Every structure is written in structure tokens, then in C-alpha cells.
Short mmCIF file of all heavy atoms in Angstrom, two decimals:
data_model
loop_
_atom_site.label_atom_id
_atom_site.label_comp_id
_atom_site.label_asym_id
_atom_site.label_seq_id
_atom_site.Cartn_x
_atom_site.Cartn_y
_atom_site.Cartn_z
N MET W 269 51.27 -2.99 -40.34
CA MET W 269 50.46 -3.29 -39.17
C MET W 269 49.00 -3.37 -39.58
O MET W 269 48.61 -2.85 -40.63
CB MET W 269 50.59 -2.17 -38.14
CG MET W 269 51.95 -2.05 -37.61
SD MET W 269 51.79 -1.55 -35.87
CE MET W 269 53.44 -1.88 -35.37
N GLY W 270 48.18 -4.02 -38.77
CA GLY W 270 46.76 -4.23 -39.08
C GLY W 270 45.93 -2.95 -38.87
O GLY W 270 46.39 -1.97 -38.33
N LYS W 271 44.73 -3.01 -39.35
CA LYS W 271 43.83 -1.87 -39.19
C LYS W 271 43.40 -1.74 -37.73
O LYS W 271 43.23 -2.73 -37.06
CB LYS W 271 42.57 -2.08 -40.06
CG LYS W 271 42.83 -1.99 -41.54
CD LYS W 271 41.54 -2.13 -42.28
CE LYS W 271 41.77 -2.06 -43.76
NZ LYS W 271 40.51 -2.13 -44.52
N ALA W 272 43.21 -0.52 -37.31
CA ALA W 272 42.68 -0.29 -35.95
C ALA W 272 41.21 -0.62 -35.93
O ALA W 272 40.47 -0.43 -36.90
CB ALA W 272 42.88 1.18 -35.58
N LYS W 273 40.78 -1.14 -34.80
CA LYS W 273 39.36 -1.49 -34.64
C LYS W 273 38.54 -0.21 -34.56
O LYS W 273 38.93 0.76 -33.94
CB LYS W 273 39.15 -2.27 -33.31
CG LYS W 273 39.49 -3.71 -33.42
CD LYS W 273 39.01 -4.38 -32.14
CE LYS W 273 39.16 -5.87 -32.25
NZ LYS W 273 38.73 -6.55 -31.03
N GLU W 274 37.37 -0.24 -35.20
CA GLU W 274 36.49 0.88 -35.11
C GLU W 274 35.69 0.79 -33.81
O GLU W 274 35.28 -0.27 -33.39
CB GLU W 274 35.49 0.88 -36.27
CG GLU W 274 36.14 1.28 -37.59
CD GLU W 274 35.12 1.44 -38.69
OE1 GLU W 274 33.97 1.82 -38.36
OE2 GLU W 274 35.48 1.16 -39.83
N VAL W 275 35.50 1.93 -33.18
CA VAL W 275 34.75 1.95 -31.91
C VAL W 275 33.27 2.10 -32.29
O VAL W 275 32.88 2.96 -33.10
CB VAL W 275 35.17 3.18 -31.05
CG1 VAL W 275 34.32 3.23 -29.79
CG2 VAL W 275 36.64 3.05 -30.71
N SER W 276 32.47 1.23 -31.72
CA SER W 276 31.03 1.24 -31.98
C SER W 276 30.40 2.51 -31.40
O SER W 276 30.72 2.93 -30.29
CB SER W 276 30.39 0.00 -31.35
OG SER W 276 28.98 0.08 -31.49
N GLN W 277 29.46 3.08 -32.15
CA GLN W 277 28.75 4.25 -31.71
C GLN W 277 27.41 3.86 -31.08
O GLN W 277 26.65 4.74 -30.68
CB GLN W 277 28.53 5.19 -32.90
CG GLN W 277 29.80 5.77 -33.47
CD GLN W 277 30.59 6.59 -32.47
OE1 GLN W 277 30.05 7.32 -31.66
NE2 GLN W 277 31.89 6.40 -32.49
N GLU W 278 27.15 2.60 -30.92
CA GLU W 278 25.93 2.12 -30.31
C GLU W 278 25.99 2.37 -28.82
O GLU W 278 27.04 2.31 -28.21
CB GLU W 278 25.76 0.62 -30.59
CG GLU W 278 25.54 0.29 -32.01
CD GLU W 278 25.38 -1.19 -32.27
OE1 GLU W 278 24.98 -1.90 -31.35
OE2 GLU W 278 25.65 -1.64 -33.38
N PRO W 279 24.81 2.64 -28.20
CA PRO W 279 24.81 2.84 -26.76
C PRO W 279 25.20 1.55 -26.01
O PRO W 279 25.11 0.47 -26.55
CB PRO W 279 23.33 3.20 -26.45
CG PRO W 279 22.56 2.77 -27.63
CD PRO W 279 23.53 2.73 -28.83
N CYS W 280 25.63 1.73 -24.79
CA CYS W 280 26.00 0.57 -23.95
C CYS W 280 24.77 -0.29 -23.71
O CYS W 280 23.64 0.21 -23.69
CB CYS W 280 26.53 1.02 -22.62
SG CYS W 280 28.09 1.90 -22.74
N PRO W 281 24.95 -1.59 -23.52
CA PRO W 281 23.79 -2.45 -23.27
C PRO W 281 23.11 -2.00 -22.00
O PRO W 281 23.68 -1.43 -21.11
CB PRO W 281 24.42 -3.81 -23.09
CG PRO W 281 25.86 -3.73 -23.48
CD PRO W 281 26.20 -2.28 -23.55
N ALA W 282 21.81 -2.29 -21.94
CA ALA W 282 21.01 -1.90 -20.76
C ALA W 282 21.52 -2.65 -19.54
O ALA W 282 21.90 -3.80 -19.63
CB ALA W 282 19.56 -2.26 -21.02
N ARG W 283 21.51 -1.95 -18.43
CA ARG W 283 21.92 -2.57 -17.16
C ARG W 283 20.63 -3.00 -16.45
O ARG W 283 19.63 -2.28 -16.45
CB ARG W 283 22.68 -1.55 -16.34
CG ARG W 283 23.13 -2.12 -15.01
CD ARG W 283 24.13 -1.20 -14.33
NE ARG W 283 24.45 -1.79 -13.04
CZ ARG W 283 24.19 -1.25 -11.87
NH1 ARG W 283 23.63 -0.06 -11.81
NH2 ARG W 283 24.52 -1.84 -10.76
N LEU W 284 20.66 -4.15 -15.84
CA LEU W 284 19.53 -4.68 -15.10
C LEU W 284 19.84 -4.59 -13.60
O LEU W 284 20.95 -4.86 -13.19
CB LEU W 284 19.25 -6.14 -15.51
CG LEU W 284 18.86 -6.30 -16.96
CD1 LEU W 284 18.75 -7.78 -17.27
CD2 LEU W 284 17.58 -5.57 -17.27
N LEU W 285 18.84 -4.19 -12.85
CA LEU W 285 18.97 -4.04 -11.41
C LEU W 285 18.19 -5.12 -10.66
O LEU W 285 17.10 -5.47 -11.04
CB LEU W 285 18.38 -2.67 -10.98
CG LEU W 285 18.96 -1.43 -11.70
CD1 LEU W 285 18.22 -0.21 -11.21
CD2 LEU W 285 20.44 -1.31 -11.46
N ARG W 286 18.82 -5.61 -9.60
CA ARG W 286 18.15 -6.59 -8.72
C ARG W 286 17.21 -5.85 -7.79
O ARG W 286 17.25 -4.65 -7.63
CB ARG W 286 19.18 -7.38 -7.92
CG ARG W 286 19.96 -8.32 -8.79
CD ARG W 286 20.97 -9.11 -7.92
NE ARG W 286 21.73 -9.99 -8.72
CZ ARG W 286 21.49 -11.29 -8.83
NH1 ARG W 286 20.49 -11.83 -8.15
NH2 ARG W 286 22.24 -12.09 -9.57
N ARG W 287 16.28 -6.61 -7.16
CA ARG W 287 15.29 -6.08 -6.32
C ARG W 287 15.86 -5.16 -5.22
O ARG W 287 15.29 -4.07 -4.96
CB ARG W 287 14.50 -7.20 -5.66
CG ARG W 287 13.40 -6.69 -4.76
CD ARG W 287 12.65 -7.83 -4.05
NE ARG W 287 12.32 -8.88 -4.99
CZ ARG W 287 12.20 -10.12 -4.70
NH1 ARG W 287 12.43 -10.54 -3.49
NH2 ARG W 287 11.88 -11.03 -5.61
N GLY W 288 16.94 -5.53 -4.56
CA GLY W 288 17.51 -4.75 -3.49
C GLY W 288 17.91 -3.34 -3.96
O GLY W 288 17.68 -2.35 -3.25
N GLU W 289 18.53 -3.29 -5.10
CA GLU W 289 18.96 -1.97 -5.63
C GLU W 289 17.78 -1.13 -6.03
O GLU W 289 17.76 0.09 -5.82
CB GLU W 289 19.95 -2.14 -6.79
CG GLU W 289 20.59 -0.84 -7.16
CD GLU W 289 21.77 -0.98 -8.10
OE1 GLU W 289 22.18 -2.12 -8.42
OE2 GLU W 289 22.29 0.02 -8.54
N VAL W 290 16.74 -1.77 -6.60
CA VAL W 290 15.55 -1.03 -6.99
C VAL W 290 14.90 -0.46 -5.72
O VAL W 290 14.53 0.70 -5.71
CB VAL W 290 14.55 -1.95 -7.76
CG1 VAL W 290 13.22 -1.27 -7.96
CG2 VAL W 290 15.16 -2.33 -9.11
N LYS W 291 14.71 -1.28 -4.71
CA LYS W 291 14.13 -0.81 -3.43
C LYS W 291 14.91 0.34 -2.85
O LYS W 291 14.33 1.33 -2.37
CB LYS W 291 14.08 -1.96 -2.43
CG LYS W 291 13.04 -2.98 -2.75
CD LYS W 291 13.12 -4.24 -1.86
CE LYS W 291 13.17 -3.89 -0.38
NZ LYS W 291 13.14 -5.12 0.45
N GLN W 292 16.24 0.25 -2.92
CA GLN W 292 17.08 1.32 -2.35
C GLN W 292 16.91 2.62 -3.16
O GLN W 292 16.80 3.68 -2.60
CB GLN W 292 18.54 0.89 -2.38
CG GLN W 292 19.49 1.89 -1.79
CD GLN W 292 20.89 1.41 -1.80
OE1 GLN W 292 21.30 0.58 -2.59
NE2 GLN W 292 21.72 1.92 -0.87
N ARG W 293 16.83 2.53 -4.48
CA ARG W 293 16.69 3.71 -5.35
C ARG W 293 15.37 4.42 -5.18
O ARG W 293 15.30 5.62 -5.19
CB ARG W 293 16.90 3.34 -6.82
CG ARG W 293 18.34 3.11 -7.15
CD ARG W 293 18.48 2.98 -8.66
NE ARG W 293 19.86 2.70 -9.01
CZ ARG W 293 20.35 2.94 -10.23
NH1 ARG W 293 19.58 3.41 -11.17
NH2 ARG W 293 21.58 2.67 -10.50
N VAL W 294 14.28 3.61 -5.12
CA VAL W 294 12.95 4.21 -5.10
C VAL W 294 12.36 4.35 -3.68
O VAL W 294 11.40 5.08 -3.50
CB VAL W 294 11.96 3.47 -6.00
CG1 VAL W 294 12.42 3.47 -7.45
CG2 VAL W 294 11.73 2.05 -5.53
N GLY W 295 12.92 3.69 -2.71
CA GLY W 295 12.46 3.79 -1.34
C GLY W 295 11.11 3.16 -1.09
O GLY W 295 10.36 3.61 -0.22
N LEU W 296 10.78 2.12 -1.86
CA LEU W 296 9.53 1.43 -1.70
C LEU W 296 9.75 -0.03 -1.29
O LEU W 296 10.81 -0.58 -1.60
CB LEU W 296 8.73 1.43 -3.05
CG LEU W 296 8.38 2.82 -3.61
CD1 LEU W 296 7.77 2.64 -5.01
CD2 LEU W 296 7.42 3.54 -2.73
N SER W 297 8.77 -0.59 -0.63
CA SER W 297 8.87 -2.01 -0.22
C SER W 297 8.56 -2.92 -1.38
O SER W 297 8.03 -2.53 -2.41
CB SER W 297 7.85 -2.27 0.90
OG SER W 297 6.52 -2.25 0.39
N ASP W 298 8.88 -4.21 -1.18
CA ASP W 298 8.58 -5.24 -2.19
C ASP W 298 7.10 -5.24 -2.52
O ASP W 298 6.72 -5.28 -3.69
CB ASP W 298 8.93 -6.65 -1.67
CG ASP W 298 10.41 -6.93 -1.59
OD1 ASP W 298 11.14 -6.34 -2.43
OD2 ASP W 298 10.83 -7.71 -0.75
N VAL W 299 6.26 -5.23 -1.50
CA VAL W 299 4.84 -5.31 -1.68
C VAL W 299 4.34 -4.13 -2.50
O VAL W 299 3.57 -4.27 -3.45
CB VAL W 299 4.11 -5.37 -0.33
CG1 VAL W 299 2.59 -5.28 -0.51
CG2 VAL W 299 4.48 -6.65 0.41
N THR W 300 4.81 -2.93 -2.19
CA THR W 300 4.43 -1.73 -2.91
C THR W 300 4.87 -1.76 -4.38
O THR W 300 4.14 -1.45 -5.30
CB THR W 300 4.94 -0.45 -2.23
OG1 THR W 300 4.41 -0.45 -0.92
CG2 THR W 300 4.51 0.79 -2.97
N ILE W 301 6.10 -2.19 -4.59
CA ILE W 301 6.66 -2.30 -5.96
C ILE W 301 5.81 -3.24 -6.79
O ILE W 301 5.37 -2.92 -7.91
CB ILE W 301 8.15 -2.73 -5.95
CG1 ILE W 301 8.99 -1.55 -5.42
CG2 ILE W 301 8.60 -3.18 -7.35
CD1 ILE W 301 10.48 -1.95 -5.14
N PHE W 302 5.55 -4.43 -6.27
CA PHE W 302 4.80 -5.43 -7.06
C PHE W 302 3.33 -4.97 -7.21
O PHE W 302 2.71 -5.24 -8.25
CB PHE W 302 4.90 -6.82 -6.47
CG PHE W 302 6.26 -7.39 -6.69
CD1 PHE W 302 7.21 -7.57 -5.69
CD2 PHE W 302 6.65 -7.79 -7.99
CE1 PHE W 302 8.46 -8.08 -5.94
CE2 PHE W 302 7.90 -8.31 -8.24
CZ PHE W 302 8.82 -8.46 -7.22
N ARG W 303 2.73 -4.32 -6.24
CA ARG W 303 1.38 -3.81 -6.39
C ARG W 303 1.31 -2.75 -7.47
O ARG W 303 0.44 -2.77 -8.34
CB ARG W 303 0.87 -3.20 -5.06
CG ARG W 303 -0.55 -2.61 -5.16
CD ARG W 303 -1.04 -2.01 -3.85
NE ARG W 303 -0.10 -1.10 -3.20
CZ ARG W 303 0.12 0.18 -3.57
NH1 ARG W 303 -0.54 0.70 -4.58
NH2 ARG W 303 1.00 0.91 -2.93
N MET W 304 2.31 -1.81 -7.45
CA MET W 304 2.35 -0.75 -8.46
C MET W 304 2.59 -1.36 -9.85
O MET W 304 2.04 -0.85 -10.84
CB MET W 304 3.42 0.28 -8.11
CG MET W 304 3.03 1.11 -6.88
SD MET W 304 4.32 2.29 -6.40
CE MET W 304 4.20 3.47 -7.75
N GLU W 305 3.38 -2.40 -9.96
CA GLU W 305 3.57 -3.08 -11.24
C GLU W 305 2.24 -3.59 -11.76
O GLU W 305 1.89 -3.38 -12.93
CB GLU W 305 4.52 -4.28 -11.06
CG GLU W 305 5.94 -4.00 -11.30
CD GLU W 305 6.75 -5.26 -11.35
OE1 GLU W 305 6.83 -5.98 -10.33
OE2 GLU W 305 7.29 -5.53 -12.42
N ARG W 306 1.47 -4.28 -10.93
CA ARG W 306 0.14 -4.79 -11.32
C ARG W 306 -0.78 -3.68 -11.77
O ARG W 306 -1.57 -3.83 -12.70
CB ARG W 306 -0.49 -5.59 -10.18
CG ARG W 306 0.02 -6.97 -10.02
CD ARG W 306 -0.82 -7.79 -9.11
NE ARG W 306 -1.16 -7.15 -7.84
CZ ARG W 306 -0.42 -7.14 -6.72
NH1 ARG W 306 0.74 -7.80 -6.72
NH2 ARG W 306 -0.81 -6.56 -5.62
N GLU W 307 -0.68 -2.50 -11.11
CA GLU W 307 -1.50 -1.36 -11.43
C GLU W 307 -1.03 -0.61 -12.69
O GLU W 307 -1.74 0.27 -13.19
CB GLU W 307 -1.58 -0.39 -10.26
CG GLU W 307 -2.22 -0.93 -9.01
CD GLU W 307 -2.03 -0.03 -7.79
OE1 GLU W 307 -1.22 0.90 -7.85
OE2 GLU W 307 -2.67 -0.33 -6.78
N GLY W 308 0.16 -0.90 -13.12
CA GLY W 308 0.73 -0.27 -14.31
C GLY W 308 1.38 1.08 -14.00
O GLY W 308 1.64 1.88 -14.91
N THR W 309 1.70 1.33 -12.72
CA THR W 309 2.33 2.58 -12.33
C THR W 309 3.81 2.45 -11.97
O THR W 309 4.40 3.41 -11.49
CB THR W 309 1.56 3.21 -11.13
OG1 THR W 309 1.59 2.29 -10.03
CG2 THR W 309 0.14 3.52 -11.51
N PHE W 310 4.36 1.27 -12.18
CA PHE W 310 5.78 1.04 -11.93
C PHE W 310 6.30 0.16 -13.05
O PHE W 310 5.56 -0.68 -13.59
CB PHE W 310 5.97 0.31 -10.58
CG PHE W 310 7.36 0.31 -10.05
CD1 PHE W 310 7.84 1.39 -9.38
CD2 PHE W 310 8.23 -0.77 -10.28
CE1 PHE W 310 9.17 1.41 -8.88
CE2 PHE W 310 9.50 -0.74 -9.83
CZ PHE W 310 9.98 0.34 -9.10
N PRO W 311 7.59 0.34 -13.46
CA PRO W 311 8.13 -0.48 -14.54
C PRO W 311 7.99 -1.98 -14.25
O PRO W 311 8.17 -2.40 -13.12
CB PRO W 311 9.57 -0.05 -14.63
CG PRO W 311 9.64 1.31 -14.00
CD PRO W 311 8.58 1.30 -12.95
N LYS W 312 7.69 -2.77 -15.26
CA LYS W 312 7.58 -4.21 -15.14
C LYS W 312 8.96 -4.85 -15.05
O LYS W 312 9.92 -4.43 -15.70
CB LYS W 312 6.87 -4.82 -16.36
CG LYS W 312 5.48 -4.28 -16.56
CD LYS W 312 4.50 -4.99 -15.70
CE LYS W 312 3.11 -4.61 -16.07
NZ LYS W 312 2.16 -4.84 -15.00
N HIS W 313 9.05 -5.86 -14.21
CA HIS W 313 10.32 -6.58 -14.08
C HIS W 313 10.34 -7.70 -15.15
O HIS W 313 9.33 -8.01 -15.71
CB HIS W 313 10.46 -7.16 -12.69
CG HIS W 313 9.53 -8.32 -12.39
ND1 HIS W 313 8.22 -8.10 -11.97
CD2 HIS W 313 9.70 -9.64 -12.42
CE1 HIS W 313 7.66 -9.30 -11.77
NE2 HIS W 313 8.54 -10.20 -12.06
N ILE W 314 11.55 -8.20 -15.37
CA ILE W 314 11.74 -9.40 -16.18
C ILE W 314 12.32 -10.46 -15.31
O ILE W 314 12.85 -10.16 -14.24
CB ILE W 314 12.65 -9.12 -17.39
CG1 ILE W 314 14.06 -8.72 -16.92
CG2 ILE W 314 12.05 -8.09 -18.31
CD1 ILE W 314 15.09 -8.80 -18.06
N ARG W 315 12.16 -11.70 -15.72
CA ARG W 315 12.73 -12.79 -14.97
C ARG W 315 13.86 -13.41 -15.76
O ARG W 315 13.73 -13.69 -16.94
CB ARG W 315 11.69 -13.84 -14.69
CG ARG W 315 10.71 -13.41 -13.63
CD ARG W 315 10.51 -14.54 -12.64
NE ARG W 315 9.67 -14.09 -11.55
CZ ARG W 315 10.10 -13.83 -10.34
NH1 ARG W 315 11.42 -13.99 -10.06
NH2 ARG W 315 9.32 -13.41 -9.40
N ILE W 316 14.93 -13.66 -15.07
CA ILE W 316 16.05 -14.43 -15.59
C ILE W 316 16.34 -15.49 -14.51
O ILE W 316 16.80 -15.13 -13.43
CB ILE W 316 17.29 -13.59 -15.89
CG1 ILE W 316 16.97 -12.56 -16.98
CG2 ILE W 316 18.46 -14.50 -16.33
CD1 ILE W 316 18.18 -11.68 -17.40
N GLY W 317 15.98 -16.70 -14.79
CA GLY W 317 16.05 -17.73 -13.77
C GLY W 317 15.06 -17.40 -12.73
O GLY W 317 13.91 -17.15 -12.99
N ARG W 318 15.53 -17.35 -11.45
CA ARG W 318 14.65 -17.03 -10.33
C ARG W 318 14.74 -15.55 -9.95
O ARG W 318 14.03 -15.13 -8.98
CB ARG W 318 15.04 -17.90 -9.15
CG ARG W 318 14.72 -19.36 -9.42
CD ARG W 318 15.20 -20.27 -8.31
NE ARG W 318 14.86 -19.78 -6.98
CZ ARG W 318 15.37 -20.20 -5.88
NH1 ARG W 318 16.31 -21.13 -5.90
NH2 ARG W 318 15.00 -19.73 -4.71
N CYS W 319 15.53 -14.77 -10.65
CA CYS W 319 15.74 -13.38 -10.28
C CYS W 319 14.73 -12.45 -10.98
O CYS W 319 14.49 -12.60 -12.18
CB CYS W 319 17.12 -12.90 -10.70
SG CYS W 319 18.43 -13.68 -9.75
N ALA W 320 14.18 -11.52 -10.22
CA ALA W 320 13.34 -10.44 -10.82
C ALA W 320 14.32 -9.29 -11.05
O ALA W 320 15.02 -8.88 -10.11
CB ALA W 320 12.23 -10.04 -9.85
N LEU W 321 14.36 -8.80 -12.27
CA LEU W 321 15.30 -7.72 -12.65
C LEU W 321 14.53 -6.59 -13.34
O LEU W 321 13.55 -6.82 -14.04
CB LEU W 321 16.36 -8.25 -13.58
CG LEU W 321 17.21 -9.43 -13.02
CD1 LEU W 321 17.96 -10.13 -14.15
CD2 LEU W 321 18.16 -8.94 -11.94
N TRP W 322 15.00 -5.36 -13.11
CA TRP W 322 14.39 -4.18 -13.72
C TRP W 322 15.44 -3.46 -14.57
O TRP W 322 16.59 -3.43 -14.23
CB TRP W 322 13.88 -3.24 -12.66
CG TRP W 322 12.61 -3.68 -11.96
CD1 TRP W 322 11.35 -3.32 -12.24
CD2 TRP W 322 12.53 -4.57 -10.88
NE1 TRP W 322 10.48 -3.93 -11.42
CE2 TRP W 322 11.17 -4.71 -10.55
CE3 TRP W 322 13.47 -5.31 -10.12
CZ2 TRP W 322 10.70 -5.52 -9.54
CZ3 TRP W 322 12.99 -6.13 -9.10
CH2 TRP W 322 11.66 -6.22 -8.82
N SER W 323 14.97 -2.85 -15.60
CA SER W 323 15.83 -2.01 -16.46
C SER W 323 16.23 -0.77 -15.68
O SER W 323 15.36 -0.05 -15.19
CB SER W 323 15.09 -1.64 -17.74
OG SER W 323 15.71 -0.55 -18.35
N GLU W 324 17.52 -0.52 -15.61
CA GLU W 324 18.01 0.69 -14.92
C GLU W 324 17.44 1.95 -15.58
O GLU W 324 17.00 2.87 -14.87
CB GLU W 324 19.54 0.77 -14.96
CG GLU W 324 20.10 1.95 -14.20
CD GLU W 324 21.61 1.95 -14.21
OE1 GLU W 324 22.24 1.59 -15.22
OE2 GLU W 324 22.19 2.31 -13.16
N ALA W 325 17.36 1.97 -16.91
CA ALA W 325 16.82 3.14 -17.60
C ALA W 325 15.37 3.38 -17.24
O ALA W 325 14.93 4.53 -17.06
CB ALA W 325 17.00 2.94 -19.13
N GLU W 326 14.56 2.29 -17.12
CA GLU W 326 13.15 2.45 -16.77
C GLU W 326 12.98 2.92 -15.34
O GLU W 326 12.10 3.71 -15.07
CB GLU W 326 12.42 1.13 -17.02
CG GLU W 326 12.30 0.79 -18.48
CD GLU W 326 11.57 -0.50 -18.72
OE1 GLU W 326 11.12 -1.17 -17.74
OE2 GLU W 326 11.48 -0.91 -19.89
N ILE W 327 13.85 2.45 -14.44
CA ILE W 327 13.77 2.91 -13.05
C ILE W 327 14.16 4.36 -12.96
O ILE W 327 13.54 5.16 -12.26
CB ILE W 327 14.65 2.00 -12.11
CG1 ILE W 327 14.09 0.56 -12.10
CG2 ILE W 327 14.73 2.60 -10.74
CD1 ILE W 327 12.69 0.43 -11.61
N ASP W 328 15.21 4.74 -13.65
CA ASP W 328 15.65 6.16 -13.70
C ASP W 328 14.53 7.03 -14.25
O ASP W 328 14.26 8.13 -13.72
CB ASP W 328 16.91 6.33 -14.50
CG ASP W 328 18.16 5.73 -13.81
OD1 ASP W 328 18.10 5.45 -12.60
OD2 ASP W 328 19.18 5.55 -14.50
N ALA W 329 13.85 6.58 -15.29
CA ALA W 329 12.75 7.34 -15.91
C ALA W 329 11.62 7.47 -14.93
O ALA W 329 10.97 8.51 -14.82
CB ALA W 329 12.31 6.70 -17.19
N PHE W 330 11.33 6.38 -14.16
CA PHE W 330 10.25 6.40 -13.18
C PHE W 330 10.55 7.47 -12.09
O PHE W 330 9.66 8.25 -11.76
CB PHE W 330 10.11 5.02 -12.52
CG PHE W 330 9.23 4.99 -11.31
CD1 PHE W 330 7.85 4.90 -11.42
CD2 PHE W 330 9.77 5.03 -10.02
CE1 PHE W 330 7.03 4.90 -10.31
CE2 PHE W 330 8.97 4.99 -8.90
CZ PHE W 330 7.62 4.92 -9.05
N ILE W 331 11.76 7.49 -11.62
CA ILE W 331 12.18 8.46 -10.60
C ILE W 331 12.06 9.86 -11.16
O ILE W 331 11.53 10.77 -10.50
CB ILE W 331 13.59 8.14 -10.09
CG1 ILE W 331 13.63 6.79 -9.33
CG2 ILE W 331 14.11 9.30 -9.21
CD1 ILE W 331 15.00 6.29 -9.05
N ALA W 332 12.56 10.05 -12.36
CA ALA W 332 12.50 11.38 -12.98
C ALA W 332 11.06 11.88 -13.18
O ALA W 332 10.76 13.04 -12.90
CB ALA W 332 13.24 11.38 -14.34
N ALA W 333 10.18 10.97 -13.56
CA ALA W 333 8.77 11.32 -13.77
C ALA W 333 8.13 11.71 -12.40
O ALA W 333 7.34 12.66 -12.35
CB ALA W 333 7.99 10.16 -14.38
N ARG W 334 8.49 10.99 -11.33
CA ARG W 334 7.92 11.33 -10.03
C ARG W 334 8.40 12.68 -9.55
O ARG W 334 7.64 13.43 -8.99
CB ARG W 334 8.33 10.24 -9.01
CG ARG W 334 7.74 8.87 -9.29
CD ARG W 334 6.25 8.83 -9.16
NE ARG W 334 5.87 8.64 -7.82
CZ ARG W 334 4.99 7.78 -7.36
NH1 ARG W 334 4.38 6.99 -8.23
NH2 ARG W 334 4.69 7.69 -6.11
N LEU W 335 9.68 12.94 -9.82
CA LEU W 335 10.25 14.27 -9.44
C LEU W 335 9.58 15.37 -10.24
O LEU W 335 9.28 16.45 -9.70
CB LEU W 335 11.73 14.28 -9.63
CG LEU W 335 12.56 13.46 -8.65
CD1 LEU W 335 14.03 13.41 -9.10
CD2 LEU W 335 12.44 14.02 -7.25
N ALA W 336 9.29 15.10 -11.50
CA ALA W 336 8.69 16.12 -12.40
C ALA W 336 7.31 16.48 -11.92
O ALA W 336 6.86 17.61 -12.06
CB ALA W 336 8.68 15.63 -13.85
N THR W 337 6.55 15.49 -11.39
CA THR W 337 5.18 15.76 -10.95
C THR W 337 5.15 16.68 -9.73
O THR W 337 4.14 17.33 -9.51
CB THR W 337 4.40 14.46 -10.62
OG1 THR W 337 5.07 13.78 -9.57
CG2 THR W 337 4.32 13.57 -11.86
N ARG W 338 6.23 16.74 -9.02
CA ARG W 338 6.27 17.66 -7.87
C ARG W 338 6.99 18.93 -8.21
O ARG W 338 7.13 19.81 -7.36
CB ARG W 338 6.90 16.98 -6.63
CG ARG W 338 8.38 16.77 -6.77
CD ARG W 338 8.99 16.34 -5.46
NE ARG W 338 10.41 16.13 -5.66
CZ ARG W 338 11.33 16.93 -5.13
NH1 ARG W 338 11.01 17.93 -4.41
NH2 ARG W 338 12.59 16.67 -5.35
N GLY W 339 7.50 19.02 -9.44
CA GLY W 339 8.17 20.25 -9.87
C GLY W 339 9.61 20.37 -9.48
O GLY W 339 10.21 21.39 -9.57
N GLY W 340 10.24 19.23 -9.07
CA GLY W 340 11.63 19.26 -8.66
C GLY W 340 12.49 18.46 -9.60
O GLY W 340 12.01 17.72 -10.43
N THR W 341 13.82 18.57 -9.46
CA THR W 341 14.73 17.75 -10.20
C THR W 341 15.77 17.20 -9.24
O THR W 341 15.99 17.72 -8.16
CB THR W 341 15.47 18.58 -11.29
OG1 THR W 341 16.15 19.66 -10.67
CG2 THR W 341 14.49 19.07 -12.36
N ALA W 342 16.42 16.16 -9.68
CA ALA W 342 17.44 15.52 -8.85
C ALA W 342 18.73 16.26 -8.96
O ALA W 342 19.04 16.95 -9.85
CB ALA W 342 17.62 14.05 -9.28
#
């Protein structure tokens, strides 16, 4: 029989979130999200075609940092 495939130890590829999911996770409006992006206080989106997408890891880090500033955890 053939050799078994080795399982990669690399992390899973990054997941990208659409605007609706980002808004739901952070509880901010479109206008606030894009204003904070311009100010450098919110993760930058990327464009794929006409879609604005955010890295799930960066959004999770943003939420964790906000929680840390108030002394709480999720």
C-alpha cells in the first residue's frame, strides 16, 4: 500500500469576514467602522472585487484589546 499523507502542522488559512459579520461582532455602524479605519483605530479592510473584507484574527484581536482596556475578558 502507499504511504499515508502527512498532516500539515501549518495553521489554517485566515478567514475573512464580510461587513455584516464585522458589524455584528463589534456592534458598530458602517460609518463608525470606516471612520475608525481612517483614524488607525480599527483593522484595515481589504478588497476582493467589490467586497470589503476583514481578517477574522484582526477583528478578534481588536475586540480582545477593547475588553482588556476595561479590565474584562470575554
Side-chain angles (χ1 to χ4, degrees):
M269 296 214 165
K271 292 183 179 180
K273 280 188 172 181
E274 288 187 31
V275 177
S276 174
Q277 296 300 320
E278 295 179 23
C280 293
R283 181 168 177 244
L284 299 174
L285 306 176
R286 290 181 181 259
R287 180 182 313 149
E289 190 168 355
V290 170
K291 287 171 53 176
Q292 183 179 26
R293 285 189 181 200
V294 299
L296 300 172
S297 70
D298 287 331
V299 173
T300 301
I301 289 170
F302 287 109
R303 178 180 50 78
M304 290 177 71
E305 270 190 294
R306 281 192 312 274
E307 295 169 350
T309 58
F310 194 83
K312 300 279 187 200
H313 70 278
I314 62 165
R315 286 226 175 254
I316 297 180
R318 293 175 47 196
C319 293
L321 302 165
W322 286 262
S323 162
E324 181 178 39
E326 290 179 4
I327 296 301
D328 289 344
F330 169 81
I331 294 168
R334 296 293 277 227
L335 289 171
T337 62
R338 71 171 179 109
T341 58

